[in-house]
């Protein structure tokens, strides 16, 4: 199993963003978990939220067709009951297997003015082909109480659009998440000029594979690494 973090730029052109995302996914091998940066298709399109939510329906349909033998994870803008949500979709073999809307909105980015936080905490571990996968969306990384809901995961995903001024925070917190939960972390951040990049695959032992010059960051998943670290340093994870 390949673990892949995409590190792409997001423009104001939804069609162009979707095309870029699809091309990157097609470059990835089968038997991969592929994570896109937060809102990679639209960005925080505060001036055209309605348009973005409509386009999201088309984007999901097209991405579903690329999910044969690949697990795809991405967030997009969804409208429900006249409210907008920043929502994660995990897709595999043309099926949506998990939906999770962001519950912690970033006030410095004015997310709380345009998005509604999910009132149902859907942060949880899902199982796909024997792999236990969980997700925190960007700013949710900063809430240790949410880490409790990830205990026992093999792989934690973090799609982000994290600013360059807090680059060290992003990289440090993701590494800590891998060490504390003794699992792999896939961190996928935007490559926009004002974003931190820092996308990485982090092992349960804290080994970091990252390259800010690349759009595809890849590593191989080895469940034995999880078993080893959890047997060496037993903190009650299984």
């Amino acid at each position: 199993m390949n673990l892949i973090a995409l590190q792409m730029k997001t423009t104001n052109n939804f069609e162009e963003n979707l095309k870029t995302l699809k091309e990157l996914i097609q470059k990835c091998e089968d038997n991969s978990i592929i994570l896109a940066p937060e809102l990679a298709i639209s960005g925080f399109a505060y001036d055209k939220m309605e348009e973005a939510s409509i386009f999201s329906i088309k984007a999901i349909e097209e991405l579903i067709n690329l999910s044969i033998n690949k697990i795809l994870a991405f967030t997009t803008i969804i409208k429900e009951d006249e409210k907008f949500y920043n929502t994660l979709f995990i897709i595999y073999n043309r099926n949506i297997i998990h939906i999770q809307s962001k519950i912690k909105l970033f006030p410095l980015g004015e997310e709380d003015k345009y998005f509604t936080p999910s009132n149902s905490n859907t942060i949880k571990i899902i199982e796909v082909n024997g792999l236990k996968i969980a997700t925190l969306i960007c700013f949710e990384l900063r809430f240790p109480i949410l880490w409790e809901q990830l205990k026992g995961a093999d792989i934690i995903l973090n799609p982000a659009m994290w600013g360059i001024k807090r680059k060290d925070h992003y990289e440090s917190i993701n590494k800590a998440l891998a060490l504390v939960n003794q699992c792999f972390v896939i961190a996928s951040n935007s490559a926009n000029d004002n974003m931190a990049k820092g996308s990485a695959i982090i092992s349960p032992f804290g080994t970091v594979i990252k390259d800010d010059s690349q759009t595809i960051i890849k590593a191989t998943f080895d469940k034995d690494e999880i078993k080893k670290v959890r047997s060496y340093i037993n903190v009650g994870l299984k």
Side-chain angles (χ1 to χ4, degrees), residues 9-234:
K9 289 189 174 185
T10 297
T11 72
N12 293 325
N13 186 318
F14 300 164
E15 288 281 2
E16 191 64 33
N17 296 333
L18 179 58
K19 179 183 176 184
T20 299
L21 179 55
K22 288 167 63 178
E23 288 174 351
L24 289 172
I25 290 169
Q26 288 168 329
K27 289 180 181 179
C28 300
E29 302 110 299
D30 287 351
N31 198 33
S32 295
I33 300 176
I34 305 165
L35 177 64
E38 183 180 24
L39 298 180
I41 298 164
S42 65
F44 288 90
Y46 294 152
D47 59 339
K48 43 184 179 180
M49 296 285 277
E50 185 77 31
E51 181 184 340
S53 67
I54 294 170
F55 187 82
S56 291
I57 298 169
K58 163 191 165 81
I60 291 167
E61 290 174 351
E62 294 191 20
L63 291 172
I64 281 175
N65 291 326
L66 299 182
S67 66
I68 299 298
N69 297 322
K70 295 175 181 177
I71 299 170
L72 310 181
F74 58 92
T75 71
T76 192
I77 296 174
I78 296 298
K79 185 178 182 181
E80 292 181 0
D81 300 324
E82 301 305 312
K83 297 176 182 178
F84 295 101
Y85 296 89
N86 183 343
T87 300
L88 168 86
F89 289 84
I90 299 180
I91 297 171
Y92 178 57
N93 280 343
R94 291 184 174 161
N95 290 301
I96 296 173
I97 58 175
H98 182 58
I99 299 174
Q100 173 181 324
S101 292
K102 196 171 184 178
I103 63 173
K104 298 292 186 181
L105 303 176
F106 185 50
L108 293 181
E110 298 190 330
E111 287 181 46
D112 52 336
K113 293 183 180 180
Y114 296 92
F115 286 101
T116 299
S118 174
N119 58 14
S120 60
N121 188 342
T122 52
I123 296 173
K124 64 179 182 179
I125 296 171
I126 64 169
E127 191 161 330
V128 188
N129 287 350
L131 295 178
K132 296 177 180 178
I133 303 170
T135 306
L136 292 178
I137 302 170
C138 199
F139 184 54
E140 293 175 344
L141 272 181
R142 289 191 179 271
F143 296 84
I145 192 169
L146 299 180
W147 292 26
E148 292 292 315
Q149 295 172 236
L150 313 180
K151 282 185 174 179
D154 299 321
I155 302 163
I156 297 174
L157 311 179
N158 181 247
M161 194 171 281
W162 195 287
I164 194 169
K165 292 181 180 180
R166 292 168 294 278
K167 178 178 175 66
D168 181 63
H169 295 197
Y170 183 69
E171 295 176 357
S172 298
I173 297 172
N174 270 305
K175 183 172 181 178
L177 182 62
L179 292 171
V180 169
N181 283 277
Q182 298 179 328
C183 67
F184 285 88
V185 167
I186 306 177
S188 175
N189 194 30
S190 170
N192 285 11
D193 293 342
N194 61 337
M195 293 294 121
K197 296 186 179 179
S199 302
I201 311 299
I202 308 164
S203 81
F205 285 97
T207 302
V208 179
I209 296 174
K210 72 181 184 73
D211 186 339
D212 284 357
S213 69
Q214 298 297 314
T215 54
I216 297 176
I217 315 297
K218 183 174 73 171
T220 302
F221 175 79
D222 184 353
K223 196 160 188 175
D224 284 343
E225 287 197 52
I226 298 173
K227 293 177 181 176
K228 285 176 184 176
V229 72
R230 290 181 182 177
S231 62
Y232 294 160
I233 308 170
N234 188 343

